Amino acid sequence: MKLSVDRRKADIVAMVAMAAAIHPDWMTVLRGDRRLYDPILLSLRMDARRRRSGVLATASEMSQTGLSDTTSSEILDLVGFEIRHDQRSDVQNVWIELQRLQVRFDIFARAVVDEMSRSDAPIQGPANLRDALPTTLISELLYPNMAAAFGLPNTGWAGHVVTAEAPTIPALRAADRAEWSLVRYTDAESLRAVLTAPLDELSGRIPQEIALPKLKQHVRNKRLATRGVDVRDVHRISTSFWAESRNRFPPDLAREARMFLGSVEGIASEVAFPADSVRAAAARGDPLAKEVIELSNRRGPMGRERRRPTDLRTAWSKPFDNGSRYVIEDGRIPVEVTQLKDEEIPAQHIFMIDGDGSVPALLTSRLFKVWAGATMQSSPSWSSRFRLGLTFETFPIPSEFIVFQSDTDAPAQLRVSPNPGRLRKFAPMFRENSNELTQIVDARNRRDVAWEGHPLMKQIEVALLSTIGLESNATDLDILERLVERNKRD
């Protein structure tokens, strides 16, 4: 399928190049200055049966999407030529039409809304954008002609605006003040959520796809989070094989054994060894090391080069200064935290963060939840992910915490500040990493305690919001606005 699409793209490029060679004036039109959104449409038609064209229907599949009338009224130019094949007698006629694209995003947006909506609310529209929306909102849209407004009459909420662009924070704020939801049409999950959510839950929501301003990376946050080990850097065996054979392992290799944690809420079912250590033991002739390599290779051949040696070293190290090591799963919101045991190492889709009880308190808070969601990388090809350089290094950690860097190459640690300010009440609990706190947030104990509704976590949440000057009733949009401001200021 991909090969056929690539071949079609190549054919189109070749055709357009030939047309540009025949009509040099086309280059002037294509390269000329145009308005912010004034695209030129190149439509291609090939006909092997007729020598002459009757009614030229060159509208492509893309130009038909969302249009009630696919015929453009503004044809700029038309060029035609013939393709003759050396070993065939037929002649293929080619026409390429240059025209301005008629934008009818409103019809397309209506189809998207109808597809996503599961609500009984009477959605009306699309309405005329300039009649429906305040100028304060329209002025915040980069492409207002690629937006459509759908009203919710007599509901207490104005309605929803579907856009072609990812909304900015100022646009979201302008929409919220006017009681409109603002969502990009590609953000299916957020669009479905606002179309089906209770109306009293629409204020202050943040869609998944947003356009953030350029964020500042904080040097102090470097190495605060580290990814787990790449499976190509380790050899893994089952826990049952380890239990049966551990006494036969050479002592130096046995000391390298770690329980391999594949999920923050699971129990390790495999034992991992650094691939270099296993290969070294096998080179010395150890039969059990050779057996470990054989068992691992059944999953797929292992490469000879190390993939992520720094992450590997971190996983096998211990936090300095009696710190604890916590892990969170990549892309999972709300964030779930587990305290890693000394004999455990995490998989690559899990992040390690060292420190005291500040780690679970901050990472399970709304502050980090909102920030992680806003900075998360999404793609239709893979699940959403956190990013070291964006999610963690740009996070404006409140001054009540410190990121403590070691003199060695060990990972940094998140700790409560010696001057904890508004967190003074909880500072002893964080420093001592009390069992009460650990048991509440540990994902593997989630069945015993509902941490989000726990009175202690609610108190910590209120205190954390106060560190950025917000009350307990702050919306997600309030939190994101304030965090972005602090990112620029800190």
Side-chain angles (χ1 to χ4, degrees):
M1 177 64 182
K2 183 179 185 300
L3 183 61
S4 64
V5 171
D6 290 343
R7 190 174 297 155
R8 183 176 180 184
K9 289 179 182 178
D11 290 342
I12 293 174
V13 170
M15 295 293 183
V16 173
M18 292 173 65
I22 297 171
H23 281 251
D25 292 344
W26 274 32
M27 302 307 296
T28 303
V29 176
L30 292 173
R31 291 177 175 174
D33 292 333
R34 294 189 295 276
R35 298 190 304 272
L36 190 60
Y37 191 85
D38 187 14
I40 296 296
L41 177 67
L42 288 169
S43 299
L44 175 69
R45 180 184 177 191
M46 302 177 67
D47 192 340
R49 295 172 299 171
R50 293 178 296 179
R51 295 296 299 266
R52 292 185 177 276
S53 172
V55 178
L56 186 61
T58 56
S60 69
E61 294 95 326
M62 185 174 294
S63 66
Q64 292 179 27
T65 303
L67 301 180
S68 57
D69 180 5
T70 60
T71 304
S72 174
S73 60
E74 192 175 355
I75 297 178
L76 301 178
D77 207 345
L78 174 68
V79 62
F81 51 90
E82 295 179 345
I83 297 179
R84 298 177 181 273
H85 300 273
D86 293 339
Q87 299 178 356
R88 290 162 50 186
S89 59
D90 62 319
V91 175
Q92 204 165 27
N93 295 319
V94 179
W95 293 274
I96 300 180
E97 188 178 77
L98 191 66
Q99 59 186 352
R100 296 195 185 280
L101 178 64
Q102 292 181 337
V103 179
R104 292 301 308 275
F105 183 79
D106 54 345
I107 298 176
F108 170 75
R110 176 78 241 189
V112 172
V113 169
D114 288 344
E115 175 68 21
M116 297 289 181
S117 179
R118 298 291 183 270
S119 173
D120 295 330
I123 299 176
Q124 294 184 356
N128 184 293
L129 208 67
R130 300 196 179 277
D131 292 340
L133 302 182
T135 56
T136 52
L137 173 52
I138 295 175
S139 64
E140 295 292 349
L141 298 177
L142 191 59
Y143 305 111
N145 58 337
M146 296 288 284
F150 299 89
L152 293 172
N154 305 318
T155 62
W157 187 256
H160 312 299
V161 181
V162 180
T163 66
E165 64 191 84
T168 61
I169 294 177
L172 289 169
R173 175 55 71 191
D176 192 66
R177 285 175 179 150
E179 298 186 331
W180 285 90
S181 304
L182 191 61
V183 186
R184 190 183 190 185
Y185 80 93
T186 55
D187 191 354
E189 187 171 337
S190 298
L191 185 55
R192 189 176 292 110
V194 300
L195 290 171
T196 57
L199 297 177
D200 59 356
E201 296 180 7
L202 292 176
S203 180
R205 292 176 74 105
I206 302 174
Q208 288 189 3
E209 294 184 21
I210 62 174
L212 290 172
K214 184 175 178 57
L215 299 171
K216 182 168 63 176
Q217 288 182 302
H218 300 296
V219 176
R220 66 175 180 270
N221 289 11
K222 287 283 187 180
R223 299 213 67 202
L224 178 59
T226 308
R227 279 196 175 274
V229 298
D230 191 314
V231 293
R232 293 167 293 187
D233 287 333
V234 295
H235 285 295
R236 291 173 290 161
I237 59 175
S238 67
T239 52
S240 58
F241 181 82
W242 169 245
E244 295 169 0
S245 311
R246 64 183 304 170
N247 293 332
R248 296 191 291 118
F249 273 78
D252 57 339
L253 191 57
R255 284 192 295 270
E256 300 263 27
R258 298 290 187 274
M259 303 300 293
F260 187 78
L261 190 66
S263 169
V264 296
E265 57 189 9
I267 299 175
S269 59
E270 293 178 310
V271 176
F273 302 86
D276 286 353
S277 300
V278 177
R279 283 195 290 264
R284 294 193 300 266
D286 184 81
L288 202 55
K290 294 179 180 179
E291 189 174 356
V292 169
I293 292 176
E294 182 181 348
L295 290 172
S296 283
N297 283 340
R298 290 177 185 175
R299 307 171 187 267
M302 298 283 293
R304 299 291 298 180
E305 296 182 0
R306 290 181 293 177
R307 298 290 179 167
R308 304 178 68 91
T310 302
D311 297 347
L312 187 71
R313 286 195 300 270
T314 299
W316 254 263
S317 70
K318 292 185 178 181
F320 66 88
D321 199 20
N322 296 318
S324 299
R325 178 161 292 167
Y326 297 91
V327 289
I328 64 173
E329 198 153 332
D330 193 359
R332 178 177 289 191
I333 296 178
V335 174
E336 295 187 353
V337 176
T338 291
Q339 184 170 347
L340 208 62
K341 300 174 184 177
D342 289 343
E343 69 276 10
E344 292 179 326
I345 61 166
Q348 188 179 7
H349 64 278
I350 296 175
F351 286 98
M352 300 175 282
I353 302 97
D354 293 353
D356 60 15
S358 305
V359 176
L362 185 58
L363 295 189
T364 58
S365 70
R366 287 184 63 202
L367 272 64
F368 186 74
K369 174 185 175 182
V370 168
W371 190 259
T375 58
M376 191 156 50
Q377 182 181 21
S378 61
S379 168
S381 304
W382 57 74
S383 58
S384 298
R385 298 174 179 174
F386 300 149
R387 287 179 279 183
L388 286 170
L390 190 58
T391 304
F392 296 99
E393 293 181 12
T394 62
F395 183 44
I397 297 173
S399 59
E400 285 77 4
F401 300 100
I402 59 170
V403 179
F404 188 67
Q405 301 282 354
S406 168
D407 294 334
T408 66
D409 61 351
Q413 292 192 10
L414 179 68
R415 294 180 175 273
V416 66
S417 170
N419 301 307
R422 297 175 184 271
L423 298 179
R424 188 177 307 278
K425 173 182 177 181
F426 308 101
M429 182 184 302
F430 294 163
R431 292 194 184 104
E432 297 167 8
N433 199 11
S434 69
N435 290 333
E436 181 182 11
L437 178 63
T438 303
Q439 289 175 0
I440 292 172
V441 300
D442 196 319
R444 285 180 276 193
N445 293 331
R446 191 63 51 82
R447 293 180 179 178
D448 299 327
V449 180
W451 69 275
E452 289 178 302
H454 194 279
L456 175 61
M457 298 308 295
K458 286 185 175 181
Q459 294 175 36
I460 294 174
E461 187 74 74
V462 172
L464 286 172
L465 285 170
S466 70
T467 65
I468 60 171
L470 293 178
E471 302 292 334
S472 60
N473 61 349
T475 66
D476 287 354
L477 183 56
D478 296 333
I479 295 172
L480 183 60
E481 273 184 324
R482 190 61 55 87
L483 291 175
V484 169
E485 290 172 5
R486 292 174 68 93
N487 170 269
K488 296 178 180 178
R489 188 176 71 241
D490 291 351

